């Protein structure tokens, strides 16, 4: 309770330290502006007399200008005279400010007394961390484990306990590090290796990196029939552009699989994407604009993963193995559909370099790039 009262008082003091100088500054600026106006109008009156003496204006014009300037001078003089009287309004202004400043802290304290628990004793962090685990929030439990691991960094089981919690809390990098520590201390386990690879993949927005692939391969070595690491390895093959190997991996994974398993529809979708044949037998090796548009019915997470997987897989294969003009154009188009113009320009530059000695192919690439608003020069 004392803490909240102190917070309210500090809030009021901080607000007063800003509002009071602002009020004073406003009055000072008003008086200074009025005095400056007076000086300007006096100069104008002198200028009118000078021009009249030199014959630049006639007497009637001079009289009209003199009358208007004098009127403005009187108004400025009146504002200067009113400034001291305005300063006498300070107590009333300060009273109004005081009421406003007190109302907010009082209202906050009233709400706390009505809705809060002022009678409850303080609960310092150390006491909460030392209290029994039952009934504690997840944040407190995580803090307890983290404190324990800070003091006992070689507790492999502790790292294994907190790793999946990190992943559920949207901290894939921390989860991967925790699994790595558990594996280092306690030795390899299929489920830990698989979950570490998954955490690394999530941290890289669905891209199965070399580090993640090694984790999945070790998991399969320990348990060849494990589904989850094989699933990710099949995705990795597709991302690398190894179409035939990816198809074989999905087919092996689906062979004899229980159709009620949650992963089966996703696996069949991946396999269908790899084996789909377009017009004249053209295989789909990367996403078209229609592919990406069709992803609009998916969840944001699934859509992002699908697009990233397909585009990154095609880009990786073209970088390492090269490809046809159609494949380069498809990659450039996909980047533009995704709104990633820098990557599209980079892909265009690579395509032009790959076909720099083939004028006809260069012309096709440049024409396609021009239609997308890219410069093929």
């Amino acid at each position: 309770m004392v803490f909240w009262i102190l917070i309210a008082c500090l809030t009021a003091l901080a607000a007063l330290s800003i509002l009071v100088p602002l009020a004073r500054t406003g009055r000072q600026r008003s008086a200074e502006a009025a005095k400056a106006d007076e000086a300007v109008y006096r100069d104008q009156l002198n200028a009118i007399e000078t021009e009249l003496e030199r014959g630049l204006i006639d007497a009637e014009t001079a009289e009209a200008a003199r009358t208007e300037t004098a009127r403005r001078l009187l108004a400025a003089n009146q504002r200067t005279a009113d400034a001291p009287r305005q300063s006498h309004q300070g107590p009333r202004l300060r009273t109004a400010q005081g009421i406003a400043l007190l109302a907010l802290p009082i209202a906050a304290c009233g709400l706390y007394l009505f809705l809060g628990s002022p009678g409850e004793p303080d609960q310092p962090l150390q006491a909460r961390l030392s209290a029994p685990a039952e009934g504690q929030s997840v944040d407190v439990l995580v803090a307890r484990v983290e404190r324990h691991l800070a003091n006992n960094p070689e507790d492999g089981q502790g790292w294994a306990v907190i790793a999946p919690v990190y992943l559920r809390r949207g901290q894939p990098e921390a989860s991967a590090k925790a699994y790595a520590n558990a594996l280092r201390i306690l030795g390899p386990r299929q489920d830990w290796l698989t979950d570490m690879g998954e955490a690394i993949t999530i941290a890289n927005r669905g891209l199965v990196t070399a580090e993640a692939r090694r984790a999945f391969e070790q998991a399969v070595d320990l348990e060849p029939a494990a589904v989850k690491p094989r699933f990710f390895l099949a995705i990795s093959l597709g991302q690398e552009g190894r179409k035939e190997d990816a198809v074989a991996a999905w087919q092996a994974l689906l062979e004899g699989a229980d159709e009620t398993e949650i992963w089966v529809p996703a696996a069949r979708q991946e396999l269908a994407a790899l084996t789909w044949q377009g017009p004249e037998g053209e295989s789909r090796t990367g996403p078209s604009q229609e592919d990406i548009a069709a992803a609009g019915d998916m969840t944001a997470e699934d859509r992002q993963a699908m697009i990233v997987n397909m585009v990154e897989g095609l880009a990786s294969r073209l970088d390492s193995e090269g490809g046809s003009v159609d494949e380069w154009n498809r990659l450039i188009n996909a980047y533009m559909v995704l709104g990633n113009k820098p990557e599209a320009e980079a892909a265009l530059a690579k395509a032009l370099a790959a076909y720099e000695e083939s004028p006809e192919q260069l012309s096709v690439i440049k024409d396609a790039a021009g239609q997308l608003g890219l410069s093929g020069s």
Side-chain angles (χ1 to χ4, degrees):
M1 181 62 181
V2 174
F3 171 77
W4 293 107
I5 293 175
L6 290 174
I7 290 296
C9 293
L10 291 174
T11 301
L13 289 174
L16 279 172
S17 67
I18 297 173
L19 292 176
V20 172
L22 283 177
R24 291 175 179 172
T25 302
R27 291 195 297 270
Q28 291 173 354
R29 289 180 178 175
S30 178
E32 291 172 359
K35 290 180 180 179
D37 289 344
E38 283 188 55
V40 170
Y41 296 141
R42 291 184 191 279
D43 289 342
Q44 288 181 354
L45 287 174
N46 293 332
I48 292 170
E49 296 301 330
T50 300
E51 291 179 356
L52 179 61
E53 291 175 359
R54 296 173 60 186
L56 298 176
I57 58 175
D58 55 33
E60 183 177 354
T61 302
E63 182 62 26
R66 194 183 298 117
T67 300
E68 176 61 22
T69 303
R71 184 186 64 79
R72 296 180 180 181
L73 176 60
L74 289 173
N77 183 265
Q78 185 63 42
R79 291 197 298 273
T80 303
D82 289 342
R85 288 197 297 272
Q86 292 175 357
S87 65
H88 293 307
Q89 297 176 359
R92 284 186 290 175
L93 177 61
R94 285 192 291 272
T95 300
Q97 290 174 338
I99 293 174
L101 291 171
L102 288 173
L104 183 59
I106 290 174
C109 289
L111 286 173
Y112 174 69
L113 291 171
F114 180 72
L115 300 175
S117 302
E120 292 293 326
D122 293 337
Q123 295 186 359
L125 178 61
Q126 185 66 28
R128 282 181 286 164
L129 293 178
S130 302
E134 293 77 7
Q136 295 280 12
S137 67
V138 175
D139 290 338
V140 172
L141 294 176
V142 170
R144 292 179 64 169
V145 177
E146 288 176 336
R147 185 186 64 168
H148 169 77
L149 291 173
N151 297 325
N152 303 276
E154 296 303 307
D155 181 2
Q157 193 60 43
W159 290 112
V161 167
I162 201 171
V165 178
Y166 279 141
L167 192 59
R168 288 195 294 270
R169 288 163 60 89
Q171 299 173 266
E173 295 90 349
S175 177
K177 291 179 181 178
Y179 276 122
N181 284 329
L183 290 164
R184 173 179 58 82
I185 298 167
L186 300 179
R189 273 183 46 170
Q190 182 273 132
D191 54 341
W192 292 353
L193 285 164
T194 300
D195 291 342
M196 183 179 73
E198 181 182 14
I200 296 171
T201 301
I202 293 173
N204 287 277
R205 299 173 61 191
L207 180 65
V208 182
T209 64
E211 183 183 6
R213 185 173 64 252
R214 284 194 298 270
F216 294 131
E217 289 172 345
Q218 291 179 44
V220 173
D221 289 341
L222 292 174
E223 191 175 327
V227 170
K228 191 173 180 179
R230 293 165 62 202
F231 186 97
F232 279 101
L233 285 174
I235 291 177
S236 174
L237 292 170
Q239 290 177 350
E240 294 171 8
R242 297 165 58 183
K243 179 182 174 182
E244 293 182 1
D245 293 337
V247 169
W250 288 118
Q251 290 174 339
L253 189 62
L254 288 167
E255 185 177 357
D258 183 354
E259 293 296 328
T260 62
E261 292 288 341
I262 192 171
W263 58 269
V264 170
R268 292 200 180 282
Q269 182 179 2
E270 292 288 340
L271 179 60
L274 289 167
T275 57
W276 178 85
Q277 295 290 321
E280 299 180 0
E282 178 189 2
S283 63
R284 186 170 74 179
T285 55
S288 65
Q289 186 169 358
E290 290 76 18
D291 296 329
I292 297 173
D297 295 332
M298 303 171 65
T299 65
E301 183 178 352
D302 290 342
R303 181 167 59 252
Q304 183 67 20
M306 184 198 77
I307 294 173
V308 169
N309 288 347
M310 297 179 71
V311 174
E312 292 294 342
L314 178 59
S316 176
R317 182 171 64 80
L318 292 178
D319 282 341
S320 60
E321 303 175 10
S324 66
V325 169
D326 181 77
E327 289 171 331
W328 280 110
N329 285 339
R330 186 177 296 121
L331 177 63
I332 296 167
N333 180 71
Y335 279 132
M336 290 298 291
V337 172
L338 292 172
N340 195 340
K341 188 174 181 180
E343 288 292 345
E345 292 173 339
L348 173 59
K350 293 176 182 178
L352 294 175
Y355 286 93
E356 59 182 351
E357 297 182 359
S358 302
E360 293 184 3
Q361 285 83 351
L362 278 179
S363 177
V364 173
I365 294 173
K366 290 180 179 179
D367 289 344
Q371 294 177 3
L372 295 174
L374 298 174
S375 174
S377 58

